[in-house]
Amino acid sequence: MKLCSVSFIFGLIALQLLPLFTIVNCQQATDSCNSTLPLKDLAFDSSQLQCVEVWRVQNYILRYARTVENTWSFILSAPDSSAYIGIGFSTTGRMVGSSALVGWITSDSRSGSAKQYLLRGQSPGEVIPDQGDLKIINGSLKIESVSSRLYLSFQLTAELPRERLLYARGPAEFFPSSPDFRLREHQFMTTTTINYNTGPATFGPTMSPGPASSPPSPSSAYGLSPSILFFCMSLIALKIY
């Protein structure tokens, strides 16, 4: 009986540790401003790019620079979560009325697409593909997946791009498709204001269209995940047995 109890406890411990191993694997897809860009065949010199961690929760990294006169080059890096990623340029800091660049790589064929969208309203029917007022240099807009991260790169013609930027991550396993390339509502979104000359950005809250999050559990309130808390309790139970 004692042996069965011990085996049962070890089985529960193994099941609880699986999410921890998943977290470790996800962390391998992180990027930082100290990382070397793994991209090749860029149309501009990436060594000139400034770098800002614009969305820490989602590990969105924005690199940018004025590479030639009135030409700005950007690379948005984000984890490949089988969803679209987007960056919007706004005059007011709001989504409505802004123009956005959105990219995705499908899970099945691993083919990538990127488009400009005009955010005329908040409903999917008011998000219009292949429209917007961003002057994109032909052939510069593309998306790549490298080491479980997405890299959305593009070049804009502007004396100074808009400083109020929006970032979004779409719902998992949904990808715009022909013929209308309609976007489903983002799962998460945040806003920043960036100073292109000095680099630092001010950050807004992360927003999602879903219900408000529930209060944290007692374990997470004290900085412990449920998996770690259960692991400690299992060890205590094992010692008693």
Side-chain angles (χ1 to χ4, degrees):
M1 181 69 180
K2 183 176 179 180
L3 180 60
C4 292
S5 299
V6 171
S7 300
F8 177 72
I9 291 174
F10 271 110
L12 288 178
I13 291 174
L15 288 174
Q16 288 295 315
L17 286 178
L18 285 175
L20 298 180
F21 295 132
T22 302
I23 292 173
V24 170
N25 288 333
C26 290
Q27 289 177 342
Q28 294 177 355
T30 59
D31 187 14
S32 75
C33 289
N34 295 322
S35 303
T36 301
L37 271 175
L39 303 181
K40 299 179 180 179
D41 302 324
L42 286 172
F44 50 87
D45 184 2
S46 62
S47 65
Q48 302 180 34
L49 300 178
Q50 297 189 60
C51 183
V52 180
E53 188 178 12
V54 291
W55 196 0
R56 188 165 299 169
V57 173
Q58 298 291 338
N59 193 217
Y60 274 42
I61 305 294
L62 182 66
R63 296 173 172 89
Y64 66 92
R66 181 163 56 187
T67 45
V68 296
E69 185 177 0
N70 292 337
T71 298
W72 292 79
S73 302
F74 292 84
I75 301 176
L76 177 64
S77 162
D80 188 349
S81 55
S82 297
Y84 69 73
I85 63 172
I87 175 172
F89 293 78
S90 174
T91 56
T92 63
R94 299 175 62 86
M95 185 188 83
V96 177
S98 63
S99 295
L101 299 174
V102 181
W104 60 92
I105 294 183
T106 58
S107 301
D108 51 357
S109 64
R110 302 304 297 168
S111 60
S113 299
K115 286 182 173 292
Q116 179 174 187
Y117 284 81
L118 173 62
L119 309 182
R120 187 175 293 166
Q122 294 187 343
S123 66
E126 296 176 300
V127 180
I128 315 300
D130 299 318
Q131 292 190 31
D133 58 7
L134 299 176
K135 298 178 180 179
I136 306 170
I137 294 180
N138 289 338
S140 69
L141 177 59
K142 63 179 181 178
I143 189 165
E144 303 174 63
S145 179
V146 181
S147 301
S148 298
R149 286 194 68 85
L150 297 178
Y151 294 86
L152 181 65
S153 59
F154 56 94
Q155 290 182 292
L156 301 179
T157 299
E159 184 175 345
L160 186 70
R162 295 167 187 161
E163 296 181 340
R164 296 181 178 182
L165 304 180
L166 315 171
Y167 304 92
R169 194 191 85 183
E173 299 300 333
F174 170 79
F175 305 101
S177 58
S178 178
D180 57 2
F181 290 98
R182 177 170 294 186
L183 286 181
R184 187 171 293 178
E185 188 175 9
H186 58 264
Q187 186 174 16
F188 299 103
M189 188 194 80
T190 193
T191 62
T192 67
T193 300
I194 189 168
N195 186 317
Y196 290 104
N197 295 319
T198 60
T202 57
F203 306 99
T206 296
M207 295 169 283
S208 72
S213 57
S214 58
S217 64
S219 59
S220 59
Y222 287 97
L224 296 175
S225 72
S227 296
I228 295 176
L229 183 64
F230 184 87
F231 176 68
C232 295
M233 293 174 65
S234 300
L235 288 180
I236 294 173
L238 180 61
K239 185 175 181 180
I240 293 174
Y241 276 102

